[in-house]
Amino acid sequence: MLRLVLVEPEGEYNVGFIARLCKNFEVNELFIVRPKCNINSAIKFSARGEDILRSAKIVDTYEEALQGTGIKIATSSIANNKGDILRKAIFPWELSSIMKSERVALIFGRESVGLTREEISKADFLLFIPANPAYPTLNLSHAVGIVLYEIWKAKHEIKPKMTKESIDLLDKYSKILYGLIRKSDEDYALYIALKRALIKGINDEEEARTVIKFLRKLYTKFLHEDKE
Ligand code: SAH
Ligand code: SAH
């Protein structure tokens, strides 16, 4: 369960884009604290996230928006200033361990002045997306997009990319091909390097099958030409 909280957003385009992102990345709840723009005008930027926008909860206080949530994560482009514990930040890729807890709230600030120190202090963590130190401030909806994508990745990361059978076949053909050109025992490194590169580089089962087919054809052709 994930709740996105926007505090006093000023641009309707941002609110619309964010509703669309909520749909893209399956965010369950959108809360908006005292919007400074017209929510109805945001609809034209929300595409198929329109229903999310229409069912967004508009609330008067920050506290209301956080009610019922567990871990609360504020965000800011100002972070890690020396000696400022409040602004000690976590990075997007560290979210995966935190996301395992229930009812996480992700809090984004105003386009003009971000979140106040008081608002940040009511959250459990501060998250910073590292960017050009000379200009680390992202557009609000872009920042939301990066964070939601990171959470999406963490949720789907554990999926194995290919079957054990494919891994065995990649191993088998790497070894066979190496056997064809091997001159000394040192050439063993060629087999290891090829196998590792293939396993690392292949993205899914379909790609694995195609590469295996390619290696098999290469091997068959080699055998065939050897006989001539
Ligand atoms: N009908 C769409 C237009 C396609 S999105 C609209 O309503 O705006 C425009 C471009 O954004 C795509 O061509 C692609 O380059 C990029 N894009 C959008 N979603 C993407 C995704 N999930 N992965 C990769 N690129 C994407
Ligand atoms: N001048 C403001 C700009 C806020 S940008 C300030 O510096 O605080 C609007 C919102 O986008 C921020 O409150 C934060 O929620 C998000 N944001 C922008 N850039 C970010 C970054 N690099 N890391 C994390 N959040 C960011």
Side-chain angles (χ1 to χ4, degrees):
M1 190 74 177
L2 186 59
R3 178 182 301 181
L4 196 77
V5 176
L6 301 178
V7 179
E8 300 193 340
E10 292 148 6
E12 51 243 20
Y13 52 94
N14 275 335
V15 174
F17 290 154
I18 288 167
R20 180 176 182 167
L21 282 165
C22 287
K23 191 69 155 197
N24 290 143
F25 293 112
E26 296 181 340
V27 171
N28 314 86
E29 300 177 329
L30 176 61
F31 276 60
I32 309 178
V33 183
R34 298 182 299 271
K36 299 295 168 197
C37 59
N38 188 327
I39 297 297
N40 282 327
S41 329
I43 288 172
K44 61 177 175 290
F45 302 104
S46 64
R48 278 194 265 164
E50 180 174 341
D51 59 318
I52 305 250
L53 194 54
R54 287 192 187 279
S55 58
K57 286 233 161 58
I58 314 291
V59 295
D60 287 328
T61 65
Y62 187 64
E63 287 70 21
E64 263 176 279
L66 296 182
Q67 224 163 53
T69 63
I71 291 195
K72 303 161 184 49
I73 304 168
T75 56
S76 177
S77 58
I78 309 166
N80 298 328
N81 318 23
K82 262 210 155 47
D84 190 346
I85 291 291
L86 186 65
R87 288 197 184 269
K88 268 229 165 305
I90 58 166
F91 293 120
W93 51 88
E94 296 176 275
L95 277 170
S96 56
S97 51
I98 296 174
M99 293 312 297
K100 291 189 186 107
S101 59
E102 286 198 318
R103 296 201 143 264
V104 174
L106 283 172
I107 312 158
F108 291 85
R110 307 152 183 86
E111 289 92 329
S112 53
V113 294
L115 294 167
T116 63
R117 285 186 72 85
E118 201 196 335
E119 284 159 353
I120 294 172
S121 70
K122 286 177 182 157
D124 302 299
F125 291 96
L126 182 68
L127 178 136
F128 168 64
I129 303 162
N132 181 358
Y135 187 35
T137 306
L138 277 71
N139 161 272
L140 169 61
S141 67
H142 297 183
V144 172
I146 288 171
V147 173
L148 292 185
Y149 175 57
E150 205 63 38
I151 290 170
W152 179 272
K153 264 200 301 188
K155 257 201 316 205
H156 295 78
E157 231 163 25
I158 340 102
K159 214 173 73 190
K161 55 181 188 170
M162 55 183 132
T163 59
K164 184 184 173 306
E165 193 193 356
S166 286
I167 293 177
D168 288 347
L169 286 170
L170 288 169
D171 178 63
K172 175 180 152 186
Y173 282 107
S174 301
K175 202 180 268 169
I176 288 178
L177 289 172
Y178 141 80
L180 295 176
I181 49 93
R182 139 175 222 281
K183 291 231 166 64
S184 76
D185 280 349
E186 276 164 43
D187 287 340
Y188 196 70
L190 301 179
Y191 148 63
I192 299 289
L194 176 63
K195 179 178 83 169
R196 288 185 184 169
L198 291 173
I199 292 173
K200 266 196 275 184
I202 288 170
N203 285 312
D204 55 29
E205 182 64 15
E206 195 182 6
E207 222 168 75
R209 292 286 152 173
T210 314
V211 173
I212 290 163
K213 190 168 160 192
F214 181 38
L215 296 178
R216 192 186 307 125
K217 280 181 184 274
L218 208 60
Y219 170 58
T220 320
K221 187 166 161 57
F222 193 96
L223 280 189
H224 197 68
E225 285 177 0
D226 223 29
K227 285 197 197 107
E228 283 168 4

